């Protein structure tokens, strides 16, 4: 059974599904533009300066996606044959089509993490001494909030310790901050303080912040110069990109604080889920807008539950046969959350 056209879909698959706001559409229609490959688009320049300023970095770069942001960062930080240290559940290692191996030709040294948070001691132990047999370790990657970890937030003290170890051993740190603003809103820690623990920081405009397209890379002027060349190589040199950058400016200026609502909705959803028979959820891991839970029932597994939810007009996706992820965002309101819980209660009664 497919939901009838009159039923409004509650789409919890990802915060990437958010649609631009009327204010964004207006800004896009009115954006001043130029050819950004010639550095002539004033709106892109404004967005890049704004992102850099918000994170306390020298420069910013507007890229097509979070994936492109991570990949150009890796290309700008490393040399062919280097080794990078990152957690085995990171987005860069799992969901970027082996870009690190193909585009940067680096080797990944993956570490286990606790729900996405690396142990600084294990990071230190993984750094290799100079030896003719070994690859050179040049970069540590961290992810905040952590997607597969369930939207978990890096404790600032852990980031500071990783930063300290990296500096001591001459490695750079890259922060995949696709959902950095969720982390900052959840903890109240200023973005600049988090960003100071990394040499480069990416964040997405097109997730919880609601812009239609785009992500930002920030770092030193030198680093951004190299990332810009890498972006060009990947075909990411966009022309009158001010049209989409304009929405990014609105996103950064007006959509950060409201992420709090998404976190509250995620908490309500998680607490409701915890009461349902056959659902296992660690409420301590629900720190931002991602809710991950397990289904342990004889009558329905995770893929089955996804199909049943779809009949009620609710979309989510399963990570494997037991595990489901739901992501809250601006286009799902409190009644949408209530409807999701009611549908689950009906299916699992
Ligand atoms: N994550 C997407 C999917 O790719 C899984 C999602 O729905 O969560 N870093 C992190 C931590 C991410 O979660 C994502 C997107 C990216 C990078 C890549 O961003 P995009 O999708 O813009 O390339």
């Amino acid at each position: 059974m497919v939901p009838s056209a009159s039923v409004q879909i509650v789409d919890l698959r990802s915060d990437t599904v958010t649609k631009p706001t009327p204010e964004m559409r207006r800004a896009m229609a009115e954006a001043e533009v130029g050819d950004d490959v010639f550095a002539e688009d004033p709106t892109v320049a404004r967005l890049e300066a704004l992102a850099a300023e918000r994170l306390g970095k020298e420069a910013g770069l507007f890229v097509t996606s979070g994936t492109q942001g991570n990949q150009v960062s890796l290309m700008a930080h490393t040399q062919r044959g280097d080794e990078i240290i990152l957690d085995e559940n990171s987005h860069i290692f799992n969901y970027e089509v082996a870009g690190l191996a193909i585009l940067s030709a680096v080797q990944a040294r993956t570490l286990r993490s606790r729900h996405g948070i690396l142990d600084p001691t294990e990071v230190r132990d993984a750094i290799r001494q100079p030896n003719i047999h070994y690859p050179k370790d040049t970069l540590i990657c961290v992810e905040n909030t952590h997607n597969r970890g369930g939207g978990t937030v890096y404790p600032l003290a852990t980031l500071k310790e990783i930063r300290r170890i990296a500096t001591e051993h001459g490695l750079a740190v890259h922060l995949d901050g696709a959902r950095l603003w969720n982390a900052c809103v959840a903890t109240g820690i200023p973005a600049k303080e988090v960003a100071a623990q990394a040499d480069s920081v990416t964040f997405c405009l097109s997730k919880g912040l609601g812009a239609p397209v785009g992500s930002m890379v920030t770092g030193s002027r030198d680093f951004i110069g190299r990332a810009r060349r890498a972006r060009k190589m990947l075909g990411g040199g966009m022309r009158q990109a001010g049209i989409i950058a304009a929405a990014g400016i609105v996103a950064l200026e007006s959509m950060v604080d409201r992420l709090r609502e998404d976190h509250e909705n995620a908490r309500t959803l998680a607490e409701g889920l915890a009461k349902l028979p056959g659902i296992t959820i660690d409420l301590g891991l629900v720190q931002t807008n991602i809710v991950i839970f397990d289904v342990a029932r004889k009558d329905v597994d995770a893929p089955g539950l996804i199909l049943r939810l779809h009949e009620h007009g609710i979309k989510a996706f399963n990570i494997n046969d037991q595990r489901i992820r739901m992501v809250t965002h601006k286009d799902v309101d409190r009644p949408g959350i209530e409807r999701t819980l009611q549908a689950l209660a009906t299916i699992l009664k």
Side-chain angles (χ1 to χ4, degrees), residues 56-128:
K57 300 291 187 201
E58 283 176 4
L61 179 70
F62 184 41
V63 290
T64 58
S65 64
T67 301
Q68 188 176 69
N70 283 332
Q71 292 302 323
V72 300
S73 298
L74 261 49
M75 289 166 81
H77 276 303
T78 61
Q79 299 289 321
R80 187 179 165 81
D82 286 352
E83 182 172 71
I84 66 172
I85 297 172
L86 73 179
D87 92 275
E88 63 179 11
N89 278 317
S90 60
H91 195 280
I92 294 176
F93 184 63
N94 288 285
Y95 296 119
E96 301 192 7
V97 210
L100 63 89
I102 295 162
L103 302 169
S104 294
V106 293
Q107 168 166 300
R109 177 80 175 271
T110 56
L111 301 181
R112 287 240 166 99
S113 65
R114 264 186 79 75
H115 310 294
I117 313 302
L118 289 168
D119 178 339
T121 310
E122 287 174 25
V123 172
R124 192 196 57 215
D125 292 349
I127 299 172
R128 300 174 195 264

Side-chain angles (χ1 to χ4, degrees), residues 158-228:
T158 311
L159 279 180
K160 283 189 171 166
E161 186 57 8
I162 291 174
R163 156 94 278 177
R164 196 190 61 72
I165 290 164
T167 308
E168 193 180 308
H169 292 83
L171 279 73
V173 177
H174 171 68
L175 166 58
D176 174 357
R179 297 186 180 84
L180 174 69
W181 299 103
N182 293 85
C184 295
V185 164
T187 57
I189 298 170
K192 280 185 188 164
E193 206 172 335
V194 180
Q197 313 314 321
D199 299 278
S200 56
V201 181
T202 52
F203 67 85
C204 292
L205 298 160
S206 64
K207 293 195 167 61
L209 301 187
V213 188
S215 290
M216 302 308 300
V217 183
T218 63
S220 70
R221 215 162 274 118
D222 256 18
F223 167 83
I224 291 296
R226 295 196 300 279
R228 195 177 289 279

